[in-house]
Amino acid sequence: MTAHETAVARYFEAWNVEGAENIDKAVAAAWTEDGSYTDPLADVSGHEEIAAVIKGAHEQFPGFEFRRTGVVDGHHDIARFTWELVSPADGSAPVAGSDVITLADDGRIRTVHGFLDRVPTA
């Protein structure tokens, strides 16, 4: 597994793990202390704020899981990948997007720039 694939695997682990304490640990494993996450709905930095965004997604979509939908494409310290938010119960995927990440020297994520390609209507 490449460094890009490893970082993306840790990213999805942080988004999918259950329980506040486990999310906090997974975020610390995936992101640098000063790491950031930016998408159309959030612009946060640091472990605490990133974990809060993930916990909010769990509250909004209980029981759903994030799944990668394509390959990880990476070079240098940059990678991109696509994903969906899927209900294991019925297979529906109301949210989909793509992310671009940059990695620190230790392989953890320094930045995430997310794009939402599909979102549920109000």
Side-chain angles (χ1 to χ4, degrees):
M1 189 178 296
T2 69
H4 300 106
E5 292 167 330
T6 299
V8 172
R10 284 193 306 250
Y11 175 84
F12 279 100
E13 182 177 334
W15 279 97
N16 288 323
V17 70
E18 294 292 328
E21 186 175 313
N22 292 332
I23 292 170
D24 293 341
K25 289 178 184 176
V27 166
W31 272 269
T32 60
E33 290 80 8
D34 62 346
S36 66
Y37 177 87
T38 304
D39 72 14
L41 304 174
D43 185 9
V44 298
S45 61
H47 292 169
E48 188 174 312
E49 291 181 4
I50 294 167
V53 168
I54 293 171
K55 292 169 189 174
H58 283 222
E59 289 173 12
Q60 187 174 3
F61 296 96
F64 281 70
E65 59 187 43
F66 287 86
R67 293 184 188 164
R68 200 178 80 216
T69 58
V71 298
V72 176
D73 181 22
H75 63 82
H76 297 85
D77 65 345
I78 302 167
R80 66 179 176 168
F81 55 93
T82 56
W83 53 268
E84 289 182 324
L85 182 62
V86 179
S87 168
D90 64 12
S92 65
V95 184
S98 56
D99 291 350
V100 176
I101 63 173
T102 60
L103 303 181
D105 290 341
D106 68 1
R108 289 189 295 164
I109 297 167
R110 182 183 313 276
T111 64
V112 175
H113 298 282
F115 298 84
L116 299 175
D117 301 325
R118 181 175 60 241
V119 294
T121 57

